[in-house]
Amino acid sequence: MSAADARGKVLLFEGAADNMDRQELKMLCAAYGDVAFVDFSFGATTGYVRFRKGAAARNALAAFTEKPPEISGRTPAWRLLSNSESDEYWQSVQLKKQEPSLSTGSVTTAATSAPVEQEQGIVLAFDGVGPEADRESLYALCGFHGDVSFVDFNRGETTGYVRFKKHAAAVKALEHFTKSPVEVGGEAPTWRLLSNEEEQAYKEAVQQRLNERKRRRDGKEQSGQHHTESAPQEAGVVVAFQGAGPDAERSSFYDLCGRHGDVAFVDFSRDESSGYVRFRRHEDAVRAVESLNAASEAGGGSPPPLRP
């Protein structure tokens, strides 16, 4: 499984009870589809639930948003990770798997405590992609040469990194891009393989970045913990849509629905035709449904059908 496979399937929850049981959480989420993994440590108040299907994650999110469930005396807030957040989460999971297990309070032998040998020479750096380049196109381009673990790239930038699972795949991709430069976003970037020292420094920088984001998230949760407990959540704010075209993007739904009120979140993956829009107020959701469906029936731009 690659980072791309986790997109649209991971829910983040915040503000949970510190005595919440993982099995209780899994049973709650399993009512909406197969749960692949519950990433949650006893005593923590945030975590992740990864579903096997994107539809199951969206159904769970819609249900939890419409009627937030109380778990062990607390009502956590839920949201679906964006593609970039999902990629970063998946990378952090893979990095954790690569770390040697540590013994707490017991003596281990050299054989059991030695770190696992990790393959090196798996990260390609690129420079000079065009303005239309995105992470998905880089995944597709590099995935032709072997399994890709992660694409570290933000749209609008010109440089980034691609981490493969195998050294041979990275070398194969580099040879191909060197002999036959391929345009990405309208420009043909240059590629190179990081040295072992550069690769180690890159991995450490990634881990530091992930740790910093976790600290910020944990600090934000602690500062808003009491507000999370008491803040009422308005019902009837989630609108479902279906029939979106193959070129539809999340930003277009923000623009389209934002004309009718404040949009809190758009749950949509580019390769699917259905999703959800969560408004901040019920009256805005109703107004959007009425207006956009009327425009669709009249042939005015043919937005996808919406229902509350």
Side-chain angles (χ1 to χ4, degrees):
M1 182 175 181
S2 66
D5 295 325
R7 294 179 182 178
K9 301 175 185 177
V10 182
L11 295 186
L12 165 69
F13 61 86
E14 301 175 292
D18 57 9
N19 63 340
M20 184 172 66
D21 180 70
R22 178 187 278 106
Q23 190 61 28
E24 178 184 7
L25 181 62
K26 185 173 183 179
M27 290 176 62
L28 173 70
C29 295
Y32 303 95
D34 290 341
V35 174
F37 187 70
V38 175
D39 187 355
F40 174 69
S41 299
F42 187 82
T45 57
T46 65
Y48 303 86
V49 177
R50 178 162 56 87
F51 290 83
R52 297 191 185 280
K53 299 290 185 180
R58 292 193 299 272
N59 290 338
L61 179 63
F64 297 162
T65 303
E66 190 74 21
K67 188 176 180 181
E70 182 177 301
I71 312 172
S72 300
R74 292 289 299 276
T75 304
W78 297 79
R79 69 179 181 85
L80 186 73
L81 295 188
S82 66
N83 284 351
S84 60
E85 289 174 325
S86 181
D87 289 346
E88 290 167 1
Y89 166 70
W90 185 251
Q91 185 179 28
S92 70
V93 170
Q94 300 309 306
L95 288 173
K96 287 179 183 178
K97 289 181 178 180
Q98 294 173 4
E99 293 174 355
S101 57
L102 300 177
S103 174
T104 57
S106 61
V107 178
T108 59
T109 65
T112 58
S113 61
V116 178
E117 188 71 22
Q118 297 178 23
E119 190 163 0
Q120 294 182 310
I122 58 175
V123 180
L124 292 186
F126 58 85
D127 184 11
V129 298
E132 300 302 319
D134 56 28
R135 188 179 283 113
E136 289 76 14
S137 61
L138 287 162
Y139 263 114
L141 176 66
C142 295
F144 181 77
H145 303 283
D147 290 337
V148 174
S149 293
F150 185 71
V151 174
D152 185 0
F153 174 71
N154 293 317
R155 189 163 189 171
E157 297 182 355
T158 59
T159 63
Y161 302 87
V162 177
R163 179 156 59 88
F164 289 83
K165 292 183 182 292
K166 297 291 183 181
H167 170 68
V171 171
K172 179 182 176 183
L174 179 62
E175 291 177 348
H176 178 81
F177 297 153
T178 301
K179 292 179 180 178
S180 304
V182 180
E183 286 192 359
V184 182
E187 301 288 344
T190 58
W191 298 79
R192 69 183 182 86
L193 186 70
L194 296 189
S195 67
N196 290 348
E197 294 77 12
E198 289 176 319
E199 184 174 314
Q200 182 60 33
Y202 167 69
K203 290 180 179 179
E204 291 174 356
V206 169
Q207 186 61 61
Q208 184 177 6
R209 186 173 63 194
L210 294 171
N211 291 340
E212 179 60 29
R213 288 177 178 173
K214 184 178 185 301
R215 283 194 293 270
R216 288 201 302 266
R217 187 178 68 243
D218 291 345
K220 181 179 178 181
E221 180 195 336
Q222 290 176 6
S223 64
Q225 194 172 45
H226 297 294
H227 177 74
T228 301
E229 284 184 329
S230 58
Q233 301 188 34
E234 189 168 357
V237 296
V238 179
V239 173
F241 62 84
Q242 60 184 4
D247 296 325
E249 296 182 351
R250 183 182 283 109
S251 59
S252 62
F253 286 103
Y254 271 108
D255 294 338
L256 180 66
C257 296
R259 302 170 190 170
H260 305 282
D262 289 338
V263 175
F265 186 72
V266 174
D267 178 9
F268 175 70
S269 296
R270 191 171 183 177
D271 58 347
E272 298 185 0
S273 61
S274 61
Y276 300 89
V277 178
R278 177 158 56 89
F279 289 85
R280 298 190 185 280
R281 291 184 296 272
H282 171 68
E283 56 268 26
D284 293 341
V286 172
R287 185 186 309 115
V289 170
E290 294 175 348
S291 177
L292 294 174
N293 281 342
S296 179
E297 292 172 1
S302 297
L306 302 176
R307 60 182 176 82

